[in-house]
Amino acid sequence: MKTKREYSERKLMKSLNENKEKAKAFLDDDVKMEGLFRDFEEKLKLIPKVGKRASDLAVLLSMLRAYIKKQYTDVSLSTILLGIAGLIYVVNPMDVVPEYILGVGLLDDAAILGIILQAMHMDLNKYKKWQEENGKR
């Protein structure tokens, strides 16, 4: 029998995967991407316990921007789409746990951020190294 946590994680992952299709459309539209970045940065101010991972989130946004500008392309399209899908999930107020549910409405957003940062950990470290080697930091 599935636990409540396994069920919730499965729902989060399903929603994240659904956003990968939307991510492709965002990736092809610079204006949409910049709007998504702005919305995401505003939403981060509301999410609890982001402080510990704030530097990783900054690296994620930087890597996505560098990829879009074709400055950094040594990363798979799958990784980029996962990152964008995560941003889309977070800015969507009606995700698995809607934001209007006080106290828990932002916890799923924090969980998604944790999932994508963990999944992208090696790529983010590789990007940080590239930044340092190319004087981008």
Side-chain angles (χ1 to χ4, degrees):
M1 177 159 201
K2 298 275 185 205
T3 67
K4 194 178 225 182
R5 180 176 179 195
E6 288 172 323
Y7 175 73
S8 295
E9 286 176 3
R10 200 171 67 237
K11 281 180 73 174
L12 288 174
M13 291 307 295
K14 180 179 180 219
S15 183
L16 184 60
N17 285 325
E18 289 169 357
N19 284 338
K20 281 187 180 179
E21 285 305 311
K22 293 178 188 174
K24 290 177 186 174
F26 275 81
L27 190 56
D28 294 332
D29 187 331
D30 292 346
V31 174
K32 271 184 155 178
M33 281 304 301
E34 279 306 316
L36 180 62
F37 289 144
R38 264 193 316 278
D39 292 347
F40 180 75
E41 289 166 342
E42 284 300 311
K43 184 77 174 271
L44 283 181
K45 296 174 186 174
L46 304 174
I47 299 173
K49 298 183 181 179
V50 169
K52 177 180 157 190
R53 305 298 297 273
S55 64
D56 288 341
L57 291 171
V59 173
L60 170 63
L61 291 177
S62 176
M63 184 175 77
L64 292 173
R65 283 188 167 113
Y67 182 86
I68 289 164
K69 294 176 182 174
K70 297 184 180 20
Q71 297 169 335
Y72 180 76
T73 57
D74 190 20
V75 61
S76 71
L77 179 59
S78 173
T79 295
I80 294 299
L81 292 177
L82 175 64
I84 296 169
L87 300 186
I88 292 168
Y89 183 93
V90 169
V91 300
N92 181 1
M94 296 303 291
D95 46 34
V96 173
V97 182
E99 264 65 273
Y100 65 80
I101 300 176
L102 296 176
V104 295
L106 297 172
L107 293 179
D108 64 316
D109 294 339
I112 283 291
L113 291 175
I115 289 167
I116 66 170
L117 290 175
Q118 180 148 356
M120 298 175 72
H121 180 74
M122 289 187 348
D123 289 306
L124 294 174
N125 284 337
K126 193 165 117 180
Y127 174 70
K128 284 192 274 190
K129 185 177 179 185
W130 175 85
Q131 283 182 306
E132 291 167 2
E133 290 171 353
N134 292 281
K136 303 286 184 187
R137 262 184 137 186

